[in-house]
């Protein structure tokens, strides 16, 4: 039904209908015209036949009367005298047309109205009674052919044998008609019983003496009133409305024929006109309908276009509603739907499902130091890498910020999950090139499995998130499974916050120390103070577990102050105990670094302990410097101003542009332990480490490698002229007394105490 009203179909149908109507009417009209013309011609022929018949009969009767009159008038006088007398009395037909003759039994003319010189051309057969007709045919000219009407003089036995005859030009019987009515092919004729045309006129031409099949001619010819029928004339093959009728009193038949072609010519012309008009009207109708069809098609197309645009718009709107603008990945709302659906599917078919919760490590630092455009670029790149790292049946979505989730249907085997996680970790940690520089970013992954780790969408996501936090705590760039224990941990984190407030007062915080070894001399030349929290119930807590908390709630400022004071005191205590003057490094957090009281606190600690400022080294990270460069430069210059040394910690993970380092007053670069860790397996880490060493040397800085764990590391770093090393290779961070013992080993015999 819908197809029927489509403009193409509709207008095609209309056009066909219009054409059918036009031609039906035209054919109808033409047919009617034809049959009317046909009837008219038939009637006309019949009428003409009637008139012609009457005319011929009248002429024949007159002739017969003359014959009888002459025969009756004959007496003892010579026949010529009788004829002359009759002629003078105007009793005979006009001599101009008619010749009256008398002949003897042998046919010799004995008297004539046209004089005696005539040859004997009348030879009626003896013994025949009544009026007889004979054609005197002149082969040379039909005009000269004459019809002879004879009556025997001896009829009734009154006279001597012989004949009275009237001769008249054959043409006389066919000359009375208007050529207009007969036209060129109309026929008037008289046929004799013996099978010839006594005379036949067709148009202007007169023929005499042709043979015809008399019986066939009269066949099927009707009575007076009947209209004529068309038949093919045997003598010239022309189809005619033909009437052929024998005369009642005479041995003659009249023939009237009207040419069918001529009679129907007017009708045919009219029919032509009709057809022409129909053709014209058809063309116009077609043209109009084509135009309308085209217009309507255009209209329809325009409508379709508007419709499609709306649809497109709706689709786009829907797409935007469900996809993340930046990466084109499904957004939180869409993912939530997908997850619900996935869980329903998993429940119905008893299939497993695994959810990975991803958070980029230190993404904030990139965003802050390199600008949001670069951050966006990085997120886009990461989303593409994630897409490539998983199968097509897996779903990658972005929840916002630097958080991504990945749904792995039908996988719960740790083996398989680990493979996927490793692939993701590797793919993300491959260096990026952004704004012409190479960067490394890592990702922490939390894994939660359905149904073990959560039976509804909310719980599963939350637990994957908890696992992800755990991965961060485990040093980032790794994947962790959710477990009930983690949940307890995260609950404990809440409890921690309140107990952390009391930790300072309760003296639960303490410092561990780790030595730094100088490569050239092979001696310990400094210490780094690393914070520990001895929790009464939970036991020792590592800084990464509570420093972010302290950062958040601001406790880091008083805690940091305590660290500086304690570290300085310990340094001086060791000197007093006989150790050489070692440097003492303390770590600063971002909040602490920007705190206005920092300089005052450091001065206070130096004063209180009596430690030389040159021995104190503060460690800050790249991101802390980049957050507010001008302020960072100012603070560092102030610290420099009082003689404190400055180290940049965890170098290589913060994406700072190398050239920017020059802006800061620095003394030391510490290469992040993560590069050292994989040094021997990872070419990227090797080249980065070497680059940092080179850079440090070029800037005139002391280069320290952190996380040095093996002799192989030491060997490598020695070969590449790294200045100092720090790590488990010497000893793990330890409380002051133990650290002193470990330190001694490295002083060996040179130890003073
Ligand atoms: P950091 O300053 O880079 O300290 C080095 C970290 O690497 C220490 O972790 C240390 O235990 C660990 N480490 C040392 N040698 C090795 C090794 O050979 N292999 C491995 N795998 N690790 C090694 P720790 O003590 O857990 O401290 C973690 C971070 O917490 C520190 O990183 C520092 O950024 C922060 N931190 C520590 N103490 C303080 C503090 O008093 N104040 C502030 N603001 N931050 C602190
Ligand atoms: Mg440090
Ligand atoms: Mg470090």
């Amino acid at each position: 039904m819908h197809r029927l009203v489509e403009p193409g179909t509709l207008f095609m149908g209309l056009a066909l209908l219009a054409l059918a109507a036009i031609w039906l009417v035209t054919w109808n009209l033409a047919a009617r015209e034809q049959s009317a013309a046909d009837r008219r011609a038939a009637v006309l022929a019949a009428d003409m036949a009637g008139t012609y018949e009457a005319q011929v009969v009248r002429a024949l009767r007159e002739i017969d009367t003359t014959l009888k009159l002459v025969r009756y008038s004959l007496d003892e006088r010579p026949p010529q005298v009788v004829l002359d007398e009759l002629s003078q009395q105007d009793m005979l037909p006009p001599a101009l047309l008619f010749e009256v003759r008398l002949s003897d039994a042998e046919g010799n003319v004995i008297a004539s109205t046209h004089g005696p010189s005539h040859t004997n051309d009348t030879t009626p057969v003896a013994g025949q009674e009544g009026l007889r007709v004979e054609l005197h045919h002149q082969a040379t000219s039909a005009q000269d052919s004459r019809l002879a009407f004879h009556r025997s003089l001896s009829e009734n036995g009154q006279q001597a044998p012989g004949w009275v005859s009237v001769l008249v030009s054959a043409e006389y019987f066919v000359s009375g008609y208007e050529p207009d009515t007969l036209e060129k092919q109309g026929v008037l004729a008289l046929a004799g019983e013996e099978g010839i045309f006594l005379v036949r006129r067709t148009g202007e031409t007169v023929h005499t003496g042709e043979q015809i099949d008399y019986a066939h001619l009269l066949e099927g010819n009707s009575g007076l009133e009947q209209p004529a029928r068309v038949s093919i004339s045997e003598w010239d093959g022309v189809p005619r409305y033909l009437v052929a009728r024998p005369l009642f009193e005479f041995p003659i038949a009249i023939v009237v024929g009207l040419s069918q072609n001529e009679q129907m010519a007017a009708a045919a012309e009219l029919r032509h006109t009709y057809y022409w008009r129909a053709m014209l009207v058809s063309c116009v109708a077609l043209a109009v309908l084509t135009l309308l069809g085209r217009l309507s098609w255009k209209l329809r197309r325009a409508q379709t276009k508007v419709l499609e645009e709306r649809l497109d718009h709706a689709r786009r709107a829907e797409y935007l509603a469900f996809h993340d603008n930046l990466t084109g990945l499904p957004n939180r709302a869409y993912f939530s739907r997908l997850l619900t659906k996935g869980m329903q599917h998993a429940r119905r078919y008893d299939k497993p499902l695994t959810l990975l919760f991803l958070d980029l490590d230190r993404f904030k630092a990139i965003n802050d130091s390199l600008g949001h455009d670069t951050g966006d670029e990085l997120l886009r790149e990461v989303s593409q890498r994630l897409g490539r790292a998983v199968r097509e049946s897996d779903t990658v979505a972005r929840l916002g910020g630097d958080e991504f989730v990945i749904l792995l249907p039908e996988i719960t085997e740790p083996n398989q999950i680990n493979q996927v996680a490793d692939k993701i970790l590797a793919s993300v940690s491959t260096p990026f090139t952004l704004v012409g520089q190479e960067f490394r970013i890592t990702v922490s992954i939390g894994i939660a499995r359905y149904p073990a780790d959560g039976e509804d969408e909310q719980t599963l996501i939350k637990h994957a998130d908890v696992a992800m936090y755990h991965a961060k705590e485990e040093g980032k760039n790794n994947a962790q499974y959710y477990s009930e224990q983690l949940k307890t941990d995260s609950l404990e984190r809440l409890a921690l916050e309140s107990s952390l407030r009391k930790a300072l007062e309760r003296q639960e915080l303490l410092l561990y120390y780790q030595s730094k070894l100088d490569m050239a001399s092979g001696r310990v030349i400094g210490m780094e103070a690393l914070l520990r929290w001895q929790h009464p119930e939970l036991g020792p807590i590592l800084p990464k577990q509570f420093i972010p908390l302290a950062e958040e709630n601001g406790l880091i400022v008083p805690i940091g102050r305590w660290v500086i004071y304690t570290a300085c005191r310990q340094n001086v205590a060791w000197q007093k105990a006989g150790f050489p003057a070692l440097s003492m490094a303390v770590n600063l957090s971002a909040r602490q670094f920007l705190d206005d009281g920092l300089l005052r606190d450091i001065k206070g600690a130096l004063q209180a302990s009596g430690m030389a400022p040159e021995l104190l080294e503060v460690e800050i990270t790249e991101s802390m410097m980049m957050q507010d460069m001008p302020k960072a430069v100012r603070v560092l210059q102030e610290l420099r101003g009082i003689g404190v040394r400055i180290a940049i910690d965890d170098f290589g993970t913060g994406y700072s542009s190398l050239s920017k380092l020059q802006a800061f007053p620095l003394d030391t670069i510490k290469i992040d332990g993560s590069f050292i860790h994989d040094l021997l397996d990872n070419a990227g880490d090797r080249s980065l480490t070497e680059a940092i060493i080179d850079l440090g040397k070029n800037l005139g800085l002391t280069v320290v490698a952190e996380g040095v764990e093996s002799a192989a590391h030491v060997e490598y770093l020695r070969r590449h002229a790294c200045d100092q090393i720090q790590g488990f290779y010497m000893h793990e961070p330890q409380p002051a007394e133990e650290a002193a013992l470990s330190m001694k080993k490295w002083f060996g015999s040179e130890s003073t105490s």
Side-chain angles (χ1 to χ4, degrees):
M1 191 62 209
H2 183 71
R3 270 199 70 78
L4 272 183
V5 292
E6 258 177 28
T9 326
L10 184 71
F11 282 94
M12 179 85 97
L14 279 180
L16 285 177
L17 265 176
L19 288 184
I22 290 167
W23 285 94
L24 212 72
V25 169
T26 305
W27 271 312
N28 216 346
L29 276 176
R32 270 201 215 176
E33 199 54 46
Q34 172 99 354
S35 72
D38 177 69
R39 237 185 351 267
R40 265 201 310 277
V43 169
L44 182 62
D47 282 357
M48 279 179 71
T51 316
Y52 186 50
E53 181 182 17
Q55 208 180 34
V56 169
V57 166
R58 199 164 51 244
L60 291 177
R61 277 191 189 144
E62 268 174 25
I63 288 168
D64 205 19
T65 308
T66 305
L67 291 174
K68 284 173 178 169
L69 174 72
V70 172
R71 193 174 61 183
Y72 176 75
S73 305
L74 285 179
D75 50 24
E76 300 311 316
R77 289 175 293 171
Q80 186 65 51
V81 176
V82 177
L83 282 187
D84 289 346
E85 192 186 72
L86 284 172
S87 179
Q88 268 157 27
Q89 289 167 357
D90 266 345
M91 303 291 273
L92 298 181
L96 200 65
L97 290 171
F98 296 88
E99 181 185 357
V100 181
R101 244 187 222 180
L102 286 164
S103 42
D104 59 18
E106 278 75 40
N108 300 313
V109 178
I110 49 175
S112 163
T113 49
H114 285 201
S117 60
H118 276 278
T119 52
N120 178 13
D121 51 1
T122 5
T123 47
V125 183
Q128 286 186 353
E129 301 291 311
L131 182 74
R132 292 179 40 236
V133 188
E134 214 179 8
L135 173 68
H136 291 202
H137 173 58
Q138 298 291 315
T140 48
S141 148
Q143 269 87 19
D144 295 339
S145 299
R146 297 204 292 178
L147 283 179
F149 300 88
H150 310 286
R151 265 189 186 274
S152 170
L153 289 179
S154 57
E155 234 171 280
N156 311 329
Q158 294 160 333
Q159 299 286 335
W163 303 90
V164 56
S165 309
V166 170
L167 287 92
V168 62
S169 162
E171 205 181 344
Y172 170 74
F173 290 94
V174 292
S175 60
Y177 260 91
E178 298 287 314
D180 283 359
T181 324
L182 279 183
E183 302 199 41
K184 286 207 173 78
Q185 299 207 291
V187 163
L188 282 185
L190 294 181
E193 284 177 344
E194 63 276 26
I196 56 160
F197 270 129
L198 299 172
V199 61
R200 174 173 69 82
R201 171 177 160 191
T202 300
E204 294 298 316
T205 330
V206 175
H207 304 269
T208 55
E210 296 153 304
Q211 299 282 330
I212 48 142
D213 182 345
Y214 187 75
H216 183 251
L217 184 67
L218 296 187
E219 218 169 70
N221 259 290
S222 41
L224 256 181
E225 284 80 24
Q226 296 290 313
R229 272 196 261 151
V230 174
S231 63
I232 307 282
S233 299
E234 120 186 30
W235 59 90
D236 60 4
V238 173
R240 288 193 176 86
Y241 296 91
L242 200 75
V243 181
R245 207 153 47 217
L247 300 180
F248 179 61
E249 306 154 67
F250 306 102
I252 285 176
I254 57 129
V255 177
V256 171
L258 294 177
S259 153
Q260 187 185 32
N261 287 346
E262 287 171 352
Q263 294 306 312
M264 303 302 281
E269 199 164 315
L270 205 60
R271 214 168 56 228
H272 266 117
T273 315
Y274 284 155
Y275 287 153
W276 270 114
R277 282 187 195 156
M279 204 101 91
L280 212 74
V281 173
S282 300
C283 288
V284 171
L286 274 182
V288 169
L289 281 171
T290 309
L291 200 76
L292 282 178
R294 212 181 143 66
L295 283 178
S296 116
W297 175 72
K298 274 189 178 167
L299 190 75
R300 176 112 179 174
R301 214 175 51 169
Q303 283 172 340
T304 316
K305 216 173 134 194
V306 168
L307 212 74
E308 271 170 4
E309 272 168 10
R310 272 196 216 141
L311 217 74
D312 250 25
H313 184 78
R315 270 194 217 117
R316 239 191 345 264
E318 190 185 86
Y319 182 86
L320 288 181
F322 287 114
H323 289 83
D324 170 44
N325 253 352
L326 184 66
T327 60
L329 292 177
N331 60 14
R332 183 185 288 272
Y334 189 26
F335 179 74
S336 161
R337 275 193 191 187
L338 290 175
L339 180 56
T340 307
K341 236 195 228 161
M343 289 173 92
Q344 281 167 357
H345 185 269
R347 198 168 302 134
R348 185 171 320 139
Y349 299 103
D350 203 17
K351 293 266 169 69
L353 192 74
T354 298
L355 181 67
L356 307 186
F357 197 111
L358 286 72
D359 188 284
L360 298 183
D361 302 324
R362 305 185 192 94
F363 173 72
K364 194 173 173 303
I366 296 200
N367 232 12
D368 292 344
S369 58
L370 293 177
H372 290 266
D373 288 346
T374 312
D376 287 351
E377 186 74 15
L378 180 78
L379 287 174
R380 264 195 293 270
E381 177 70 33
V382 166
S383 76
Q384 279 163 16
R385 289 187 182 188
L386 293 179
R388 284 195 294 266
V390 299
R391 291 180 308 188
E392 219 155 278
S393 53
D394 304 333
T395 306
V396 181
R398 180 177 171 225
L399 297 187
D402 58 348
E403 286 179 350
F404 294 86
V405 276
I406 298 178
L407 192 60
L408 309 174
E410 300 187 14
I411 297 185
T412 44
E413 279 305 308
N415 259 352
Q416 291 171 297
I417 300 174
N418 291 345
Q419 267 176 19
V420 178
D422 286 347
K423 206 168 162 196
I424 292 171
L425 291 171
S427 136
V428 173
S429 62
T430 312
F432 291 84
T433 307
L434 292 178
V435 283
Q437 287 182 44
E438 247 193 20
F439 298 96
R440 266 168 56 110
I441 190 155
T442 54
V443 63
S444 298
I445 306 176
I447 304 166
R449 286 173 290 179
Y450 171 86
D453 299 338
E455 296 203 14
D456 62 88
E457 175 219 328
Q458 293 284 324
T459 314
L460 201 68
I461 295 187
K462 205 173 75 206
H463 287 175
D465 187 22
V466 167
M468 184 276 290
Y469 265 102
H470 181 54
K472 294 253 182 209
E473 287 166 358
E474 287 300 306
K476 303 177 173 130
N477 195 19
N478 73 99
Q480 295 294 330
Y481 285 86
Y482 172 78
S483 70
E484 277 304 311
Q485 183 56 45
L486 287 186
K487 191 171 161 194
T488 326
D489 290 354
S490 66
L491 283 177
E492 280 166 359
R493 202 193 341 246
L494 286 176
L496 274 186
E497 184 170 346
S498 56
S499 49
L500 183 59
R501 292 177 189 279
K502 296 167 197 147
L504 257 181
E505 306 155 19
R506 293 185 189 161
Q507 304 194 340
E508 290 167 7
L509 298 179
L510 58 150
L511 289 181
Y512 274 32
Y513 297 93
Q514 190 177 33
S515 319
K516 275 190 287 185
L517 194 75
D518 180 55
M519 293 285 255
S521 63
R523 298 178 67 171
V524 171
I525 45 129
M527 287 284 187
E528 179 175 2
L530 295 159
L531 187 58
R532 297 289 182 270
W533 179 9
Q534 193 59 44
H535 195 280
E537 289 127 47
L538 298 173
I541 302 179
L542 289 173
K544 64 193 166 196
Q545 284 171 299
F546 67 90
I547 284 187
L549 255 179
E551 268 284 303
E552 270 170 46
N553 59 23
L555 281 173
I556 193 68
V557 176
I559 291 176
R561 190 184 305 133
W562 176 85
V563 169
I564 299 170
Y565 270 85
T566 312
C568 290
R569 248 197 322 266
Q570 184 60 54
N571 181 276
V572 174
W574 274 326
Q575 288 180 47
K576 286 186 177 154
F579 286 104
L582 303 169
S583 72
M584 176 59 78
V586 291
N587 294 282
L588 295 186
S589 81
R591 192 148 174 180
Q592 210 181 344
F593 181 61
L594 297 174
D595 188 74
D596 291 334
L598 177 69
L599 196 71
R600 193 190 55 225
D601 289 344
I602 290 178
K603 279 183 184 164
L606 290 174
Q607 236 165 23
S609 62
M611 185 174 114
E614 296 73 37
L615 293 181
L616 183 63
E617 187 166 67
V618 291
E619 294 190 2
I620 57 171
T621 59
E622 292 160 81
S623 60
M624 283 158 64
M625 303 192 304
M626 299 303 171
Q627 238 167 13
D628 181 353
M629 268 180 62
K631 173 150 193 195
V633 171
R634 208 171 55 240
V635 172
L636 293 180
Q637 274 166 351
E638 282 169 354
L639 290 174
R640 254 295 185 68
I642 57 169
V644 173
R645 292 164 58 86
I646 294 154
I648 182 155
D649 202 357
D650 300 343
F651 193 80
T653 59
Y655 324 101
S656 41
S657 94
L658 302 180
S659 60
K660 279 185 186 162
L661 281 186
Q662 284 178 292
F664 299 96
L666 301 175
D667 299 284
T668 306
I669 293 186
K670 298 184 81 175
I671 305 171
D672 192 68
S674 61
F675 301 116
I676 307 301
H677 187 265
D678 292 335
L679 203 56
L680 302 171
D681 315 321
N682 189 319
D685 286 353
R686 276 203 295 279
S687 58
L688 204 100
T689 302
E690 287 162 25
I692 296 174
I693 295 174
D694 274 357
L695 167 86
K697 290 275 159 75
N698 284 336
L699 293 177
L701 305 176
T702 306
V703 181
V704 183
E706 293 187 301
V708 177
E709 292 181 353
S710 65
H713 289 160
V714 179
E715 176 48 33
Y716 178 90
L717 292 165
R718 190 191 304 282
R719 239 184 312 121
H720 288 90
C722 183
D723 296 321
Q724 300 175 8
I725 57 170
Q726 177 184 350
F728 295 170
Y729 176 67
M730 280 95 76
H731 64 94
E732 290 185 20
Q734 291 165 332
E737 292 87 66
E738 290 163 44
L741 290 177
S742 303
M743 194 169 23
K744 257 189 192 161
K745 277 199 294 199
W746 290 95
F747 286 120
S749 53
E750 295 169 56
S751 168
T752 48
S753 82

